[in-house]
């Protein structure tokens, strides 16, 4: 858009006030003249009526219309009168005359009364013209045209318009002249500035009679000369700087080439570091695999007391060495940026309980109370890395136990609903930390003093690794402590997209109208079992164990005692229960596995004693059993027993270049199947696979010659017999790249060395519960086997051996299976992913409670696919869930008959 010139702007700005003044003056003059003309016209009509009124008096009184007609016609001549009308006092028209020759324009009317005048003899003029006593005879109406008045108005308007045009023309001429005097110098100055912008500095703008313009012109000329001089100087400086810059660039190019060389060396060194980590992991874990594996094998044989002690020492030492190796490798991987985080929906309670079960024997050996608290059920589920959280918790809790001689170690979960982070605390009553050490304690290889290493051991890497892991998880870690007053470690975790548990169909109000008394030590006042029991409808009363004799414990449906063995013995609870509480179920949970059972001579059939760490799930199962009045003493062996797998029809191939590893795997597998072949390298494995059909192949990844990944590719791509066989990778390499390569090659699952029996059986169970095994006959057998649909042994464990409760849970699921299917189908058909996620999560929980692993796995995979937002995977897992539901429906009668 073109902008107006100064010349035009000056004319417009000067002309605007002239126009405003002219228009204002013209409007005022015209308005004034129009008002005066209208008044004069009105006065003419009034004067005519007043003059005719006395003249018509005689005619009106005498009724002489001829006289009145002549009078009115004479009055109409030569005037703008349109008509004259005379009416009597009763408004009857006496006479009316109209002048048809008059042009009617803006007519006006006026009326005047007609009086009968009498003769007054008076001394004053006012009395002579007093009309108060006159008699009114009627009215005279005069109607007058404004034609002549309108003509006068038009004439006035024309004259004023001509005058205004003349004034505006003269003003415009003056403005044009003035504008040229102002704009012409400015235009010349503008052109001079354009020359300056085009690097032409030898200019003279000129001189002007106007002082201000002359001063501005001189300033522009002076500025041009100054800029020219400055530019010349700058050009000289630029040339000098350019020469220096050229030299610098040449030097930088040389440095860049050197840096690139160093960068390539660093990349190569990082690759070598990664390879070194993988090799070190393999070389260190491989012999440890043999040590720990055969220790587990020997531990299950008949050993003397001295041999058991020696075996226990070897196992502790090997685990300690493995922990040190793990810390060093994890620290190196984090430092090299090679550690990936596996985000998934996890139950934080389960993570903590697994750590508690692992470390409770260590805590007991030091007579330390170990427990945790999470009273907010809504804070159970978060989105994070389960393995890394357990690693962090294990490190912190292990340290807390290590540096605590008496008292307790407690894990608290604090959920601030206004925050996106979950706070986890590890509190102990140990030796505490100095303020100076707290500032540097998260640095690697750092301990408070040399005596710590001598007295307690350790490398000083655990906290450094924990901090780096928490940083990767998006949280923070800190510590509060003072010497001699214990320590509080805390860390935060982002909650992420939380998937809430929804198992109300199985849990809600199952303890309704039940009253439970909790007796506890002082430190156990916030027992983790209390909130879940209340959530299930029970009324819970919490008391100190010291009040056992002072307050009446009767009147409750269940009494739960959580206390140390010394307190139980001190208070002689066994005798009191035998005498006064024989009719009430009593659950006693103590932390001493060596606690001697109560006196067999006492009647304690109503007492259930647990002498190890009891998880939340196990505790609720025990309470459910006791509410059903099933008081059979539960087994005191560890509840996390390995599920024994026995499939004599399985044919397994073990491929490993290490003879010890092959021997260990063969020893562990011979308990479950008799058909096991061995291969010492990849070539031998390929040869065996060409002539034999295997159900499962255990493949070592790092082998000389052909690696496990190359061997797998050959078996999958070139071997018709075993192209669909399940292959489980064996490796000590924890790098994510290695796992990715294994998955791409066709390896189904991975086992990380050192391998123990529990890991091996868990992986085998996972494979046997999937459809990855080779051969149609095998798949059919699995699909049609009731054991693959319903895990009876797992159901017994979850219900504490209460088969009746297990059957009731199965019956409830079977009754609701059609509803689950309808909800899933409706959500999938309408593409409501939120509803589909909730429905699959609910089905996952129900299947887990009822110990139906295939349905649980399918529902869990569907839920995860919805959370990850993968449409194709959602479709596949959805139809897989429908197949699992159909399995249950087709085996409905068989499941009912369990």
């Amino acid at each position: 858009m073109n902008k107006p010139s100064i010349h035009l702007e000056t004319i417009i700005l000067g002309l605007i006030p002239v126009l405003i003044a002219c228009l204002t003056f013209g409007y005022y003059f015209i308005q004034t003249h129009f008002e005066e003309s209208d008044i004069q016209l009105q006065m003419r009509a009034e004067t005519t009526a007043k003059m005719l009124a006395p003249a018509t008096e005689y005619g009106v009184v005498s009724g002489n219309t001829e006289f009145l007609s002549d009078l009115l016609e004479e009055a109409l001549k030569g005037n703008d009168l349109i008509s004259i009308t005379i009416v009597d006092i009763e408004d009857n028209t006496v006479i009316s005359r109209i002048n048809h020759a008059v042009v009617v324009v803006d007519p006006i009317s006026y009326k005047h009364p007609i009086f009968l005048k009498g003769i007054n003899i008076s001394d004053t003029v006012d009395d002579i013209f007093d009309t108060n006593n006159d008699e009114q005879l009627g009215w005279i109406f005069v109607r007058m045209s404004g034609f002549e008045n309108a003509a006068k108005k038009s004439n006035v308007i024309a004259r004023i318009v001509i005058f205004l045009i003349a004034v505006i023309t003269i003003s415009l001429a003056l403005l044009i002249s003035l504008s040229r005097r102002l704009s012409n110098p400015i235009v010349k100055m503008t052109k001079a500035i354009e020359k300056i912008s085009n690097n032409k500095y030898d200019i003279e703008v000129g001189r002007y009679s106007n002082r201000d313009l002359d001063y501005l012109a001189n300033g522009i000329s002076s500025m041009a000369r100054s800029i020219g001089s400055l530019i010349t100087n700058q050009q000289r400086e630029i040339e000098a700087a350019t020469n220096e810059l050229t030299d610098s660039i040449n030097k930088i190019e040389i440095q860049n080439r050197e840096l690139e060389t160093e960068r390539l060396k660093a990349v190569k060194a990082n690759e070598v570091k990664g390879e070194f980590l993988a090799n070190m992991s393999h070389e260190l874990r491989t012999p440890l695999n043999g040590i720990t594996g055969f220790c587990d094998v020997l531990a299950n044989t008949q050993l003397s007391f001295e041999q058991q002690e020696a075996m226990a020492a070897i196992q502790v030492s090997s685990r300690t060495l493995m922990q040190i190796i793990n810390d060093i490798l994890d620290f190196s991987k984090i430092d090299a940026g090679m550690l990936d985080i596996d985000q998934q929906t996890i139950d934080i309670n389960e993570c903590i309980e697994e750590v508690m079960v692992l470390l409770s024997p260590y805590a007991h050996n030091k007579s330390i109370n170990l427990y945790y608290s999470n009273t907010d059920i809504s804070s159970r589920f978060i989105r994070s890395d389960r393995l890394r959280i357990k690693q962090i918790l294990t490190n912190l809790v292990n340290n807390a136990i290590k540096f605590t001689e008496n008292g307790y170690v407690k894990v608290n979960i604090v959920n601030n609903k206004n925050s996106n982070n979950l706070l986890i605390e590890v509190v102990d009553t140990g030796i505490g930390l100095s303020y100076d050490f707290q500032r540097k304690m998260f640095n690697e290889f750092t301990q408070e003093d040399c005596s710590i290493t001598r007295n307690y051991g350790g490398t000083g890497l655990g906290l450094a690794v924990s901090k780096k892991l928490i940083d990767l998880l998006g949280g923070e870690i800190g510590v509060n402590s003072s010497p001699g007053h214990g320590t509080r470690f805390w860390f935060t975790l982002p909650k992420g997209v939380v998937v809430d548990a929804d198992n109300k169909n199985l849990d809600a109000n199952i303890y309704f109208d039940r009253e439970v008394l909790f007796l506890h030590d002082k430190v156990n006042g916030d027992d983790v079992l209390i909130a879940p029991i209340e959530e299930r409808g029970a009324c819970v009363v919490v008391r100190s164990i010291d009040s056992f004799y002072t307050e009446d414990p009767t009147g409750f449906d269940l009494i739960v005692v959580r206390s140390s063995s010394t307190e139980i013995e001190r208070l002689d609870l066994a005798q009191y229960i035998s005498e006064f509480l024989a009719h009430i179920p009593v659950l006693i949970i103590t932390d001493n596995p060596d606690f001697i059972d109560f006196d067999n001579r006492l009647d304690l059939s109503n007492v259930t004693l647990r002498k190890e760490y009891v998880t939340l799930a196990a505790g609720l199962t025990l309470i459910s059993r006791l509410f059903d009045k099933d008081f059979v003493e539960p087994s005191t062996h560890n509840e996390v027993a390995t599920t024994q797998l026995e499939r004599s029809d399985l044919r397994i191939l073990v491929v490993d270049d290490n003879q010890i590893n092959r021997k260990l795997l063969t020893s562990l597998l011979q308990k479950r199947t008799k058909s096991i072949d061995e291969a010492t390298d990849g070539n031998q494995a390929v040869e065996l696979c060409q002539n034999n059909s295997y159900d499962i192949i255990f493949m070592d990844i790092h082998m000389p010659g052909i690696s496990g990944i190359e061997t797998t590719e050959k078996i999958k791509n070139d071997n018709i017999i075993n192209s669909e066989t399940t292959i489980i990778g064996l490796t000590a390499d924890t790098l994510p790249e290695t796992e990715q390569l294994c998955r791409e090659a066709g390896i189904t699952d991975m086992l990380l060395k050192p391998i123990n029996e529990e890991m091996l059986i868990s992986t085998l169970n996972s494979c046997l519960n999937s459809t990855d095994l080779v051969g149609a006959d095998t798949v059919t057998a699995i699909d049609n086997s009731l054991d693959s649909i319903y895990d009876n042994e797992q159901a017994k464990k979850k219900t504490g051996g209460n088969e009746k409760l297990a059957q009731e849970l199965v019956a409830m699921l079977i009754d609701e299976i059609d509803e689950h299917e309808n909800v899933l189908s409706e959500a999938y058909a309408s593409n409501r992913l939120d509803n589909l996620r909730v429905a699959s999560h609910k089905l996952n929980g129900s299947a887990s409670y009822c110990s139906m692993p295939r349905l649980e796995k399918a529902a869990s995979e569907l839920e995860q696919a919805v959370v990850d937002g993968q449409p194709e995977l959602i479709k596949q897992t959805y139809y897989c869930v429908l197949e699992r539901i159909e399995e249950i429906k087709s085996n409905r009668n068989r499941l009912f008959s369990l």
Side-chain angles (χ1 to χ4, degrees):
M1 180 179 179
N2 294 328
K3 296 182 179 179
S5 63
I6 296 177
H7 177 62
L8 181 60
E9 286 186 352
T10 304
I11 294 173
I12 293 173
L13 292 175
L15 194 60
I16 287 175
V18 173
L19 290 174
I20 293 174
C22 290
L23 292 175
T24 302
F25 170 76
Y27 173 78
Y28 172 76
F29 186 82
I30 291 172
Q31 184 68 22
T32 303
H33 182 76
F34 280 13
E35 290 177 355
E36 290 178 355
S37 298
D38 292 340
I39 291 172
Q40 290 177 3
L41 181 63
Q42 184 69 26
M43 291 177 63
R44 284 178 60 198
E46 182 179 350
T47 302
T48 301
K50 288 182 178 180
M51 291 176 62
L52 287 175
T56 59
E57 177 183 346
Y58 166 74
V60 173
V61 172
S62 62
N64 189 347
T65 58
E66 184 178 354
F67 170 78
L68 292 174
S69 176
D70 293 339
L71 180 64
L72 296 182
E73 288 180 358
E74 186 66 23
L76 290 173
K77 293 179 180 179
N79 292 313
D80 292 331
L81 292 173
I82 300 173
S83 65
I84 302 174
T85 303
I86 298 174
V87 298
D88 57 19
I89 195 66
E90 296 178 356
D91 289 334
N92 295 320
T93 301
V94 175
I95 189 169
S96 178
R97 289 293 180 268
I98 299 173
N99 186 0
H100 296 286
V102 176
V103 179
V104 180
V105 177
D106 298 331
I108 63 171
S109 298
Y110 183 80
K111 70 177 181 175
H112 190 76
I114 302 173
F115 294 98
L116 178 61
K117 297 286 186 177
I119 300 175
N120 294 328
I121 301 175
S122 177
D123 295 333
T124 64
V125 177
D126 294 337
D127 291 337
I128 294 174
F129 292 99
D130 185 11
T131 61
N132 291 333
N133 296 322
D134 293 344
E135 179 183 357
Q136 184 175 350
L137 299 177
W139 298 86
I140 181 168
F141 290 88
V142 177
R143 190 164 180 259
M144 182 170 287
S145 173
F147 177 73
E148 291 185 3
N149 192 34
K152 291 179 181 180
K153 290 181 180 180
S154 300
N155 190 21
V156 169
I157 292 173
R159 291 200 300 271
I160 290 175
V161 169
I162 292 171
F163 174 76
L164 293 178
I165 291 174
V167 171
I168 291 171
T169 302
I170 294 171
S171 300
L172 182 60
L174 293 174
L175 287 171
I176 291 173
S177 176
L178 178 62
S179 175
R180 285 176 178 172
R181 292 186 62 189
L182 292 175
S183 62
N184 287 343
I186 293 175
V187 170
K188 290 181 179 180
M189 293 178 198
T190 302
K191 291 180 179 179
I193 292 173
E194 288 179 357
K195 290 181 179 179
I196 293 174
S197 65
N198 293 326
N199 301 323
K200 297 178 181 179
Y201 307 110
D202 187 15
I203 58 173
E204 288 293 336
V205 180
R207 304 186 66 83
Y208 300 97
S209 58
N210 185 282
R211 183 181 61 183
D212 295 331
L213 291 175
D214 188 59
Y215 182 76
L216 181 59
N218 291 334
I220 291 174
S221 299
S222 176
M223 180 184 69
R225 290 190 294 272
S226 298
I227 292 175
S229 176
L230 181 62
I231 292 296
T232 302
N233 294 333
Q234 285 182 343
Q235 285 177 345
R236 295 194 190 100
E237 293 176 359
I238 289 172
E239 289 176 358
T242 301
N243 294 332
E244 293 179 2
L245 183 60
T246 302
D247 294 339
S248 299
I249 290 174
N250 293 332
K251 293 179 181 179
I252 291 173
E253 288 180 354
I254 295 173
Q255 292 176 352
N256 284 340
R257 286 194 292 268
E258 293 175 351
L259 289 174
E260 179 64 17
T261 302
E262 294 299 323
R263 188 190 70 81
L264 293 175
K265 290 180 180 179
V267 171
K268 182 64 176 177
N270 196 44
E271 293 176 355
V272 171
K273 184 177 182 180
E275 294 175 0
F276 173 76
L277 284 175
N279 293 332
M280 283 297 297
S281 177
H282 179 76
E283 296 301 328
L284 291 173
R285 291 174 187 266
T286 297
L288 270 177
N289 181 50
I291 295 172
T292 58
F294 279 109
C295 281
D296 293 337
V297 172
L298 287 174
N300 292 325
T301 62
Q302 294 294 328
L303 299 175
S304 65
F305 179 75
E306 292 79 6
Q307 290 173 330
Q308 290 177 0
E309 286 188 334
M311 183 59 61
I314 294 173
Q315 289 176 320
V316 170
S317 298
S318 62
R319 293 192 189 100
T320 303
L321 180 58
M322 179 54 65
Q323 184 60 48
I324 294 173
I325 292 172
N326 287 341
D327 286 344
I328 294 173
L329 292 176
D330 284 344
F331 185 82
S332 301
K333 285 192 292 184
I334 294 172
D335 192 50
M338 297 180 179
L339 189 70
D340 289 338
I341 297 300
D342 181 19
Q343 295 281 354
Q344 55 182 309
T345 301
I346 63 172
D347 186 339
I348 193 68
N349 281 5
E350 289 184 359
C351 290
I352 295 175
E353 287 188 335
E354 289 174 8
V355 174
M356 293 295 188
V357 170
L358 177 67
L359 297 178
S360 60
Y362 181 26
H364 166 69
N365 290 336
K366 298 187 67 174
S367 299
I368 296 171
N369 287 307
L370 177 64
Y371 62 103
Y372 81 99
S373 172
N374 182 12
T375 58
D376 189 352
I377 301 300
S378 64
S379 64
R380 283 185 59 184
F381 293 90
I382 64 172
R383 186 86 177 160
S384 194
D385 189 318
R386 179 188 185 91
L387 177 63
R388 299 307 169 186
I389 291 177
K390 286 176 59 179
Q391 184 177 350
I392 295 166
L393 283 169
T394 301
N395 201 322
L396 295 180
V397 175
N398 186 69
N399 281 348
I401 297 172
K402 180 192 299 184
F403 296 109
T404 301
E405 296 302 327
N406 55 68
Y408 64 88
V409 173
K410 178 182 177 183
V411 180
N412 292 325
I413 299 177
V414 182
N415 181 29
N416 183 356
K417 295 185 178 179
N418 296 325
S419 173
N420 293 325
N421 293 327
L422 189 70
L423 175 65
I424 301 177
E425 302 173 330
V426 178
V427 183
D428 65 61
T429 56
I431 61 176
L433 301 170
S434 66
Y435 299 110
D436 292 336
F437 179 65
Q438 291 179 40
R439 292 196 299 267
K440 60 181 180 179
M441 64 184 305
F442 292 109
N443 297 334
E444 56 270 21
F445 306 108
T446 301
Q447 290 191 334
E448 188 156 11
D449 55 50
C450 296
S451 63
I452 296 294
T453 304
R454 289 194 301 268
N455 295 334
Y456 298 100
T459 61
L461 265 181
L463 289 177
V465 172
S466 296
K467 185 180 187 309
K468 290 180 178 291
L469 288 175
I470 290 172
D471 290 341
L472 289 175
L473 293 172
E476 297 179 349
I477 186 172
V479 62
N480 306 109
S481 180
S482 60
H485 294 86
T487 303
R488 170 184 172 264
F489 278 94
W490 58 266
F491 64 94
T492 61
L493 294 171
K495 298 176 185 177
V497 181
V498 179
V499 182
D500 295 328
D502 187 7
N503 291 317
K504 293 183 179 180
N505 60 318
L506 296 178
D507 286 343
N509 296 325
I510 63 172
Y511 300 157
F512 179 71
D513 204 25
R514 303 295 181 97
E515 295 187 5
V516 181
L517 172 62
F518 260 82
L519 298 173
H520 55 80
D521 291 344
K522 183 191 300 184
V523 296
N524 286 339
D526 49 358
D527 197 290
V528 73
L529 286 172
I530 293 176
I533 292 175
E534 290 178 332
E535 288 284 330
R536 287 157 174 77
C539 175
V540 179
V541 177
V542 183
R543 296 177 185 171
S544 171
I545 194 169
D546 291 327
S547 67
F548 198 72
Y549 293 103
T550 59
E551 297 185 43
D552 185 12
T554 61
F556 293 93
D557 297 295
L558 174 65
I559 298 176
V560 179
V561 180
R562 293 201 70 159
S563 179
S564 65
S565 57
T566 55
E567 286 294 300
I568 295 173
E569 293 171 348
R570 179 180 67 84
L571 296 172
D572 196 13
L573 293 184
Q575 184 67 35
Y576 186 86
I577 293 171
S578 175
E579 292 180 6
F580 302 104
L581 300 177
H583 61 290
I584 300 176
V586 179
L587 173 60
I588 298 179
I589 303 173
T590 182
D591 57 358
N592 186 359
D594 300 324
F595 178 63
I596 301 174
D597 292 351
F598 297 128
D599 192 343
N600 294 330
R601 294 171 296 176
L602 300 176
D603 181 12
L604 296 176
S605 59
N606 63 321
V607 175
T608 300
L609 176 65
R610 301 311 302 266
K611 297 187 293 184
E612 66 277 332
Y613 186 89
V614 176
T615 64
L616 174 61
L620 293 176
T621 300
L622 283 172
I623 291 172
S624 298
R625 289 181 55 213
L626 295 176
F627 277 148
D628 287 339
K629 303 189 182 303
D630 181 5
F631 305 137
V632 177
E633 178 70 23
S635 174
T636 58
H637 65 71
N638 193 336
E639 289 182 320
V640 194
T642 305
T643 302
Q644 297 298 319
L645 170 70
E646 295 189 7
R647 285 282 304 276
S648 60
D649 59 329
L650 286 179
R651 188 166 187 183
I652 297 175
L653 172 62
V654 177
V655 185
D656 199 316
D657 63 303
N658 188 293
Q659 182 180 1
I660 297 176
N661 288 343
R662 292 199 309 274
K663 180 65 176 176
L664 173 62
L665 275 173
T666 303
S667 299
L668 294 175
L669 292 171
Q670 280 177 345
K671 299 178 182 180
R672 283 104 195 149
T673 183
K674 304 302 180 183
S675 181
I676 302 175
D677 292 338
E678 297 182 27
T680 59
D681 55 37
N683 290 324
Q684 187 178 359
V686 172
E687 183 178 348
L688 287 171
C689 288
Q690 289 175 346
N691 302 316
N692 302 283
S693 176
Y694 294 102
D695 296 305
I696 295 177
I697 299 174
F698 288 93
M699 181 70 67
D700 184 29
I701 302 303
H702 293 278
M703 293 188 296
I706 302 179
S707 68
I709 295 176
E710 294 173 327
T711 304
T712 300
E713 291 176 343
K714 285 181 174 294
I715 294 173
K716 291 290 184 179
N717 299 329
D718 303 335
N719 193 294
I720 300 176
I721 301 177
N722 293 284
S723 60
E724 300 297 328
T725 298
T726 298
I727 299 180
I728 300 174
L730 306 173
T731 182
D733 182 358
T734 58
L735 294 178
E737 293 83 354
T738 302
E739 182 175 357
Q740 180 65 25
L741 291 173
C742 292
R743 299 294 184 186
E744 292 175 356
I747 293 177
T748 307
D749 208 340
M750 301 287 290
L751 270 176
L752 186 64
K753 298 177 182 178
I755 300 166
N756 57 46
E757 187 174 15
E758 183 178 349
M759 292 168 52
L760 177 65
I761 301 308
S762 175
T763 304
L764 280 173
N765 282 338
S766 176
C767 292
L768 292 175
N769 284 333
S770 69
T771 58
D772 294 333
L773 292 179
V774 66
D777 295 339
T778 306
V779 174
T780 304
I782 293 174
D783 287 342
N784 293 332
S785 172
L786 191 61
D787 291 339
S788 66
I789 299 174
Y790 175 68
D791 191 338
N792 189 39
E793 291 300 323
Q794 190 67 23
K796 288 180 181 180
K797 289 182 180 180
K798 287 186 176 181
T799 58
N802 189 345
E803 295 185 1
K804 179 181 177 182
L805 177 60
Q807 291 172 359
E808 290 177 355
L809 294 177
V810 172
M812 291 173 64
L813 177 60
I814 293 175
D815 290 340
E816 296 174 354
I817 198 68
D818 291 331
E819 180 183 351
H820 282 296
E821 184 178 14
N822 293 336
V823 173
L824 284 168
S825 300
E826 182 179 350
Y828 181 80
S830 59
N831 199 28
R832 296 178 180 175
L833 296 184
D834 287 341
N835 294 350
L836 186 62
R837 180 190 60 78
V838 172
S840 58
H841 181 74
K842 186 174 182 180
L843 180 59
N844 180 19
S846 300
S848 175
Y849 265 76
C850 296
S851 301
M852 296 191 175
R854 289 166 63 81
L855 178 60
E856 178 186 358
K857 182 175 183 292
S860 175
E861 290 175 349
L862 174 58
E863 178 188 357
Q864 189 60 48
V866 174
V867 171
D868 295 339
Q870 302 182 31
E872 190 61 32
L873 188 57
I874 291 173
K875 179 180 178 180
Q876 296 175 5
T877 53
Y878 166 71
Y879 285 109
C880 182
V881 170
L882 293 186
E883 290 177 5
R884 300 295 171 256
I885 291 176
E886 189 59 34
E887 286 178 354
I888 294 175
K889 292 167 69 175
S890 61
N891 289 277
R892 189 190 305 262
N893 294 333
R894 297 171 65 192
L895 289 169
F896 270 128
S897 63
L898 289 174

